[in-house]
Structures are given as structure tokens and as C-alpha cells.
Amino acid sequence: MRYLFEEFAFDTDRRELYRGAEILSVAPQVFDLLDYLIRNRERVVSKDELVKAIWNGRAVSEVAVTTRLNAARSTIGDSGSEQRLIKTLPRKGFRFVGRVLEAQTSESAASANDRIEPSEPAPALPDNAPIAMNSPERLSIVVLPFINLGGGLEQDYFVDGITESLTTDLSRIAGSFVIARNTAFTFKAKTIDVRKLGTELNVRYVLEGSVQRGDNRLRINVQLIDVETGNHLWAERFDKTITDLFDMQDEIVSRLANTLNAQFIEAEARRAERSQHPDAMDLYFQGRVHVNKGITPEYMAQACGFFDRALTLDPGNIEAMAGLAQANIAIGASFFTDDRTGYLEAAEHGLIKVLNMAPQHARAHMLLGVVQNLTNRAAQGIAECERALALDRNLADAHGMIGLAKVYIGRSEETEAHINEALRLSPRDTFSFRWLYFRALAKLQLGADGEGITWLRRSIETNRSYPLAHFHLAAALALTGQLDQARAAAQAGLALEPTFTVRRFRLNASSDNQVFLARRRRLCEGMGMAGVPEQ
């Protein structure tokens, strides 16, 4: 039997472990340990059971078991702190939690040349495709090779590059399982029954697309399909002037990855709503959807409720921990409470816990940077956001947060470039309204009230459920003599957050930079002129 997980193939007949085409050296006991954990991945395996299976019941020390376990983790790119594939459950045992597909080995599979041709009525998978499992995992997807419509060899490389890069980048999405490129590329230039493909690969979603070149323009069409129903969940067209193909590839892949991240969260949340017995990840996705709706007290309270329930079911769920931290940050940053410090401290504590468990968690690094930005540590915050981008180049929100940090340290003239980069990577991002708001703050800090008003209005048009944008618009309008419009903006903000006061805003500055504070005092005056309550 051959087991496929991430970029590895584990062949029990030949006793070989492959990473891509490379055969890895594995000690016999380490191989046996991996074999036993993978075969029994549906349950927790106790230490005594491992000793009986691997050491034939001989007396072995705790150190010996730990050493072999660490060696197994190291061989497959896991670690004791990350536990991405092999999880230790204190006082219970161990479990292989990576997503596994089963495939026949070459001894039992049909010849790779004996394939059903695409012209047949019911196209099938290659004979050596993985065998289906019972229930597809959440966010499980195969990226089919994009179709090259009428292009030459150069464009064929470009098209394959998009498919391969997108496969890699989608695997960075929290909780995702993406079929490896080597499997996906066996379907190149074949007519595929998408629902049958989903069943046999045991995935929930299929992404397919095409690339067409004409004159100096490139058109890319992409569709996301739910294999259970065959319905198209999302479709998009990119139409761009041809410049540098490799730069275009990076930009297109980033935009797709960011858009699909939001689409996946919505799709999984809809599934979770239909579940009579939601588990921790069901609740996590519902919490993320509420965070994405808009930053209001109501949405954040609902999000916290879902994340808290998820953590009750699974106290070690790092995604729910990060989600709860994000909601707590939003509550503190948006001045929904007098206990701003308490919410930000709770968020920081939760994020440090996440990063102790998963040091490479890009979004947790970014969120920790946000907390630092908000608590007069902007230099550290910028460094954390840069660390997040090194781990995940598609994390557009990290660019936005660096732009906000520049406002706090009195360098607002640098903010626009960071916001432009965020919008380039994810122009339809669920958080783009905040980036437009950050750009407006920078303009107000620079004394460009008219431009600030323009960007605040664009932020509100993008998402009306963000009270701070309304309050800042009210201040800017009042300061420019447009009192009637200013009062209307203030009332719109108070309808979303009735407890907001100028006093709370004034007493909770995110920086002690004197340039920043001077302009901020002016905004407090404008809010008062617009009718925002003092206290």
C-alpha cells in the first residue's frame, strides 16, 4: 500500500519514503512507527500500544519512545512544537492527524499506460489514482492544471506555473488540504467528470481555469466547484496587459489565494450551519465569518462566542485561539470598551500561546504585530508583520498593518505605498475597508483633510459596518465646516456603536509620538463639533 500526505509518499510494500522523487533514508524502527501511526490514524494510539507494536512488548524507556517519535517527526518535516502531522495528546497517546490518501502500489496497480481515454462517455481517473476515503476533509481541494487556450510553449510554462504556485499557496490556508501537484498534473489535457474526481480524490472542492492570450493582453478564467453538488461556488476573470510573465504569475496567484481563502471560509461556515453537532472547526469557521462581516460590537461578540465554544470542545485548537485573539484586538482597537488594555493583553497572551505551539503561524505573527502597534510598540509590530510576510507572501493584511504603524510613528507619508501593496495583492479583500481607512488616517495626519474625507467615504462604501470610519469622517467634515454632513456621519457611527465617546478615544492613544498626538487632538475636537458624546 502507498499512503500519500503533503509532498510525501509512504510505500509499505517497498518500505520506502519519498519526498517528491527523492527517496529518504529512514531507520527501520522509525519507519515501523510511522507505518503504525498512519495505519491507525483514525484513533489515538497509546504509548503501551506503540511499545507492543514496534518493540514487540520489550521494556523500553520513555526517552527511547520520545527519540523515535522525534525522529519520525523530523523525517516528515514536523516538530514537537508544531505537531502538524503527529499530535501528542497528554496522558492519552499519539495520533497521525495529517490528511492521508491511499494508493495502490506498482505491484498491484494497473500499468500507468493503461488509461481510460477522455473520449469515453464517463471519464475516469488514472488507474493509479488514490482510493477514496469516507469523508472529505474541510477545505480539501485539487487544483486542476489550467488550460492553455491557443498559447505557445512559453505560455504553457506560464500556465503550469500558475497551477503549481497556486497549489503551494493554497496549502498555506489554515486547515486546508491540497492534493499534491504531481497527482493533479496527471489530469492535464483530460476531460474530467468533476463530481467523480472529487469522490475518488476525496476532496470537497475543485478549482479549474484557463489562460488565453491575445495581442498584448492575457485573460484568465477561474471557477471553484463544490464536487458534492457540482455547483460553481465562485468564478472570476482576470484581464491584464502583458508585462513580465513571472511578475504577473505572482500577482495572479496571490489574488486568487486571498480570494479563495475568504470563499472557503464562507463555504465551510454555510456547511457548519447545517450541522446538528458542530465540532471545533465548524465553530471556528462560523466565528471567522462574523469577523469578516464588519467590526461592530455585535459581530465581534458573536465571533467570540463561536471561538469560545470551539475552544471548549478543543482547548488546543490554535486556529480558534488566533481567531479569538483577532476578535479581542478588534474590540480593543475600535474603542468598544473602557477596558481596552484588558482585551489587548488577552489577545497578546493568546497569540504567544499559539506561537509557542506553532512558531511558523504567519497570521499569529501578524496579529501579534497588530497588538504591538496598538500598544506603543510600533517598531516591534512592523518587525512581526514582516516576519509574517516572510512566512506567507500572500498575507496582504500584514502590508496594511505596516501602513497603520507608520501613522503611529509619525511617518504617515509612507503609509500609502503599503496600502497600495495590500490592495494589489488582494483588491477585493474582506478587510480592504480597513486599509482604505488607514490611508484616510494618514491623509488626516498630513493635514490633507479633503483627501482623507474621500478615502473615508470609500472605506464606508466598501463596508458600512465599521464605526470608526464614520466617527473619523464626522470629525473631518466638521473640521472643514460641513457640519450637517458631519452630524449625519456621527449618528451613523453611533447607530453601530452607541457607547462610543470622545473621552474614551482621547484616553487610549496607540502611540506617544508627538506628531501623531497633535493631529489626533484635532480629530477629537472635530468629533465633538459633530455631536459625538464627550463621555
Side-chain angles (χ1 to χ4, degrees):
M1 181 64 70
R2 175 173 289 191
Y3 298 97
L4 309 175
F5 55 95
E6 297 193 340
E7 72 267 39
F8 297 95
F10 188 80
D11 193 323
T12 58
D13 292 334
R14 295 185 175 183
R15 289 185 64 82
E16 291 176 341
L17 175 65
Y18 296 82
R19 182 173 56 211
E22 177 189 4
I23 299 179
L24 302 178
S25 176
V26 187
Q29 279 189 339
V30 173
F31 190 97
D32 291 340
L33 188 150
L34 280 170
D35 186 12
Y36 195 81
L37 289 175
I38 292 172
R39 289 180 187 273
N40 293 278
R41 61 190 177 277
E42 299 300 327
R43 62 186 180 85
V44 177
V45 175
S46 69
K47 177 201 164 189
D48 290 342
E49 191 176 351
L50 268 184
V51 170
K52 182 177 180 181
I54 309 305
W55 285 272
N56 296 317
R58 299 195 307 272
V60 295
S61 68
E62 184 86 20
V63 173
V65 176
T66 302
T67 299
R68 297 298 185 279
L69 193 66
N70 288 341
R73 284 190 170 119
S74 178
T75 300
I76 56 177
D78 201 358
S79 68
S81 58
E82 187 175 11
Q83 298 193 10
R84 187 182 74 259
L85 296 173
I86 300 175
K87 187 174 182 64
T88 299
L89 291 91
R91 297 182 297 280
K92 293 182 180 179
F94 315 95
R95 184 177 176 188
F96 193 93
V97 294
R99 175 76 165 90
V100 178
L101 295 174
E102 297 180 7
Q104 294 175 317
T105 60
S106 57
E107 285 76 8
S108 58
S111 167
N113 294 323
D114 184 17
R115 313 262 179 151
I116 297 178
E117 294 299 322
S119 57
E120 295 191 18
L125 305 177
D127 290 346
N128 61 354
I131 298 170
M133 298 172 67
N134 291 328
S135 178
E137 289 194 11
R138 303 172 182 84
L139 301 194
S140 49
I141 184 171
V142 58
V143 182
L144 292 178
F146 280 33
I147 299 169
N148 182 6
L149 297 177
L153 184 61
E154 180 187 12
Q155 184 170 310
D156 206 40
Y157 290 141
F158 171 73
V159 174
D160 286 351
I162 288 179
T163 308
E164 186 168 355
S165 295
L166 192 54
T167 299
T168 300
D169 287 15
L170 290 182
S171 68
R172 295 191 178 103
I173 295 174
S176 68
F177 171 76
V178 185
I179 294 294
R181 71 165 303 280
N182 290 342
T183 298
F185 269 81
T186 62
F187 308 115
K188 187 172 180 177
K190 294 183 181 293
T191 303
I192 297 295
D193 181 329
V194 171
R195 296 179 72 172
K196 184 175 178 62
L197 175 75
T199 300
E200 301 229 15
L201 285 182
N202 208 42
V203 295
R204 284 188 176 180
Y205 306 103
V206 169
L207 188 75
E208 61 181 15
S210 64
V211 180
Q212 184 174 14
R213 186 170 183 168
D215 296 329
N216 67 333
R217 297 195 69 80
L218 205 66
R219 174 171 291 175
I220 300 176
N221 290 291
V222 191
Q223 300 87 35
L224 179 66
I225 302 168
D226 183 330
V227 299
E228 183 180 355
T229 63
N231 293 337
H232 284 66
L233 298 178
W234 169 80
E236 183 64 278
R237 170 183 290 175
F238 296 88
D239 200 349
K240 292 181 64 66
T241 302
I242 295 174
T243 52
D244 183 278
L245 285 179
F246 290 109
D247 286 346
M248 288 182 67
Q249 177 181 311
D250 287 346
E251 181 175 339
I252 289 164
V253 167
S254 184
R255 289 188 178 199
L256 283 171
N258 279 302
T259 303
L260 285 165
N261 194 344
Q263 293 295 326
F264 283 146
I265 289 170
E266 287 191 21
E268 291 300 326
R270 286 195 295 270
R271 288 178 184 270
E273 287 174 355
R274 300 194 296 268
S275 174
Q276 294 183 348
H277 304 287
D279 63 17
M281 288 306 291
D282 289 329
L283 296 166
Y284 160 74
F285 284 119
Q286 291 185 77
R288 281 294 300 275
V289 163
H290 281 81
V291 168
N292 291 347
K293 284 182 178 179
I295 303 176
T296 68
E298 180 184 3
Y299 289 145
M300 293 306 102
Q302 291 169 338
C304 287
F306 282 115
F307 294 136
D308 282 334
R309 288 171 60 194
L311 290 169
T312 298
L313 292 177
D314 180 5
N317 190 308
I318 60 174
E319 298 307 330
M321 289 182 203
L324 182 60
Q326 184 173 3
N328 282 334
I329 291 169
I331 292 169
S334 301
F335 308 96
F336 294 162
T337 172
D338 287 329
D339 186 23
R340 181 176 187 263
T341 300
Y343 278 90
L344 294 178
E345 286 179 350
E348 184 164 4
H349 175 77
L351 291 167
I352 290 172
K353 185 176 180 181
V354 169
L355 291 171
N356 284 334
M357 297 170 67
Q360 306 303 308
H361 197 293
R363 196 163 64 91
H365 279 291
M366 181 199 71
L367 291 171
L368 181 58
V370 176
V371 174
Q372 291 167 339
N373 288 343
L374 293 167
T375 52
N376 201 26
R377 293 174 286 166
Q380 292 174 253
I382 290 171
E384 281 295 331
C385 288
E386 289 173 342
R387 189 172 293 116
L389 287 167
L391 293 168
D392 183 356
R393 63 177 183 174
N394 300 321
L395 202 57
D397 206 21
H399 288 290
M401 292 304 172
I402 292 173
L404 177 62
K406 295 296 181 70
V407 172
Y408 293 154
I409 59 178
R411 290 160 54 184
S412 294
E413 68 278 1
E414 299 176 23
T415 296
E416 188 167 359
H418 297 289
I419 301 305
N420 286 344
E421 183 62 12
L423 290 168
R424 185 183 74 86
L425 294 177
S426 190
R428 300 183 185 179
D429 200 278
T430 52
F431 290 121
S432 62
F433 69 94
R434 287 191 317 181
W435 305 339
L436 300 174
Y437 165 75
F438 299 160
R439 176 179 277 178
L441 290 187
K443 296 298 182 183
L444 295 175
Q445 278 282 314
L446 295 170
D449 292 342
E451 291 182 76
I453 288 169
T454 298
W455 288 111
L456 285 166
R457 283 180 167 151
R458 286 190 59 179
S459 172
I460 291 167
E461 288 168 5
T462 304
N463 188 328
R464 296 185 178 276
S465 298
Y466 190 34
L468 275 183
H470 293 280
F471 292 130
H472 277 83
L473 177 60
L477 288 168
L479 291 169
T480 55
Q482 304 174 69
L483 287 177
D484 288 343
Q485 293 184 50
R487 293 187 184 101
Q491 290 306 308
L494 291 168
L496 293 168
E497 167 45 338
T499 73
F500 184 89
T501 65
V502 177
R503 176 183 175 276
R504 182 187 295 167
F505 180 76
R506 182 188 297 110
L507 294 178
N508 288 282
S510 298
S511 169
D512 61 6
N513 179 275
Q514 294 305 307
V515 174
F516 168 74
L517 291 175
R519 291 289 183 179
R520 196 172 183 275
R521 285 191 289 270
R522 183 169 173 268
L523 290 174
C524 290
E525 294 172 7
M527 288 182 190
M529 292 165 60
V532 179
E534 173 61 29
Q535 54 185 330

